[in-house]
Amino acid sequence: MGFSKIESVITGQIAGLFQKRGSVEPSALIKALEREVIRQQKKTPEGLVVPNDYTILLSEEDCHRLSAARVIKALYETVERKIIRENCFMDGSLSVRIEKMFDGDDAIVVRSKCIDDGRIDEDTIDLENDVLSKTLVEDAAVDDDEQTIVADKKMLVTTMKTIIPRQIEYDIATLSVKGREKPELVLGERQVYIGRRDSNDLVLDDDAVSRVHAYISYERHRHVLRDADSLNGTFVNKKPIEKHLLRHGDKITIGSSTIVYEVL
């Protein structure tokens, strides 16, 4: 056994000394969450649908140790990827959280449910009730007092009411162009564009490709490929498409390029 292998074994043994026997690892959370997604599949006229709200209950020690942003991100991506691999759908925004259980059981408990997305998004800033309540505003007033600042309420609300951009970018799938070494594009939840124009997310330098040839949107937690009225068409698995729900392993043909869609 070489020095590097011996060092690796010793390092693993030392790490094990600081880990309580029976403590939960992130990989166990991922497997439990994947099982819950499969278990909760419901048949509907629109296809298989899974819940959008997941709570993982752990012992107090495991809860504190695993309630890290990177773990939550991995769990979120686990659900999104599993939905695609199982050819399911999800309605509403996905929520995954870790909470402490109170019965002293060290097992992993996963609870899931469907939640209506009608509630107010926490990232939304309600300037009309927050900022404007502390600002002197009028509908279209003119004040001669130079010490008083008067804003047009209608214009202020229209121009300032906004949503804070989500800080986390989730990695769900990739697009790989055959003949190129690395995946060209990692897909998350945002819409991406494919074509000859340099400003596209995936650029194909080919005269047979339109400037904006196709685009991929994210609908019901699935990637949907659409042809953008291109001149020569978009093909998936050698068949022409106008709209196609992408599945793992699909081969997209645009011009002379073959692009493979793969779930991470």
Side-chain angles (χ1 to χ4, degrees):
M1 181 182 293
F3 177 75
S4 61
K5 292 185 178 180
I6 294 174
E7 184 182 38
S8 176
V9 171
I10 294 174
T11 301
Q13 290 173 343
I14 292 175
L17 294 176
F18 294 95
Q19 182 175 311
K20 181 181 177 182
R21 180 178 295 178
S23 61
V24 175
E25 290 299 320
S27 59
L29 297 186
I30 289 173
K31 290 179 181 178
L33 200 52
E34 287 180 330
R35 286 195 296 269
E36 182 69 8
V37 171
I38 295 174
R39 189 174 70 88
Q40 293 294 345
Q41 293 176 355
K42 303 294 183 185
K43 288 185 178 180
T44 73
E46 293 83 23
L48 292 173
V49 176
V50 299
N52 64 328
D53 187 270
Y54 295 83
T55 302
I56 302 174
L57 300 174
L58 301 173
S59 66
E60 183 172 2
E61 180 182 341
D62 287 332
C63 181
H64 289 309
R65 184 169 55 85
L66 294 172
S67 294
R70 62 180 180 81
V71 176
I72 299 298
K73 180 178 184 291
L75 295 175
Y76 187 103
E77 291 171 338
T78 293
V79 177
E80 298 285 13
R81 296 167 184 172
K82 196 64 176 175
I83 290 170
I84 301 173
R85 287 186 178 275
E86 295 295 323
N87 197 27
C88 297
F89 298 92
M90 177 188 291
D91 295 313
S93 300
L94 171 61
S95 176
V96 181
R97 68 182 69 83
I98 295 175
E99 293 181 359
K100 181 177 67 174
M101 61 174 57
F102 296 96
D103 56 8
D105 190 356
D106 287 334
I108 302 172
V109 177
V110 182
R111 295 175 180 169
S112 61
K113 57 185 176 181
C114 295
I115 291 185
D116 186 0
D117 243 12
R119 64 186 185 278
I120 297 175
D121 191 330
E122 294 179 356
D123 287 341
T124 302
I125 303 174
D126 189 351
L127 289 177
E128 188 165 6
N129 294 323
D130 185 12
V131 176
L132 298 186
S133 62
K134 303 174 184 177
T135 307
L136 178 59
V137 293
E138 297 180 7
D139 289 332
V142 177
D143 199 322
D144 293 331
D145 186 354
E146 294 181 357
Q147 301 300 318
T148 303
I149 300 175
V150 179
D152 186 333
K153 179 177 179 179
K154 183 177 180 181
M155 181 175 294
L156 187 62
V157 173
T158 301
T159 57
M160 292 182 65
K161 200 164 189 177
T162 185
I163 296 178
I164 301 174
R166 179 174 287 173
Q167 299 298 315
I168 301 174
E169 289 291 336
Y170 295 103
D171 301 332
I172 301 171
T174 61
L175 293 180
S176 302
V177 181
K178 282 196 172 182
R180 301 184 188 179
E181 292 183 0
K182 298 179 180 179
E184 290 296 309
L185 191 63
V186 177
L187 299 178
E189 299 175 336
R190 68 183 183 88
Q191 187 160 297
V192 300
Y193 295 88
I194 305 170
R196 196 175 72 249
R197 192 170 62 186
D198 290 340
S199 59
N200 286 302
D201 299 279
L202 179 58
V203 179
L204 302 175
D205 187 11
D206 183 346
D207 290 338
V209 176
S210 299
R211 290 170 59 80
V212 178
H213 195 104
Y215 63 95
I216 297 175
S217 57
Y218 199 62
E219 304 170 21
R220 300 183 73 200
H221 299 262
R222 297 293 300 273
H223 290 119
V224 180
L225 172 69
R226 285 184 171 85
D227 181 77
D229 294 326
S230 65
L231 181 63
N232 294 313
T234 301
F235 300 80
V236 176
N237 303 325
K238 299 183 179 180
K239 296 180 180 179
I241 63 99
E242 292 184 1
K243 174 184 175 181
H244 177 78
L245 187 69
L246 288 168
R247 299 190 65 177
H248 179 72
D250 276 347
K251 294 179 175 60
I252 305 165
T253 303
I254 295 178
S256 60
S257 298
T258 299
I259 307 162
V260 181
Y261 171 85
E262 295 179 299
V263 181
L264 290 168

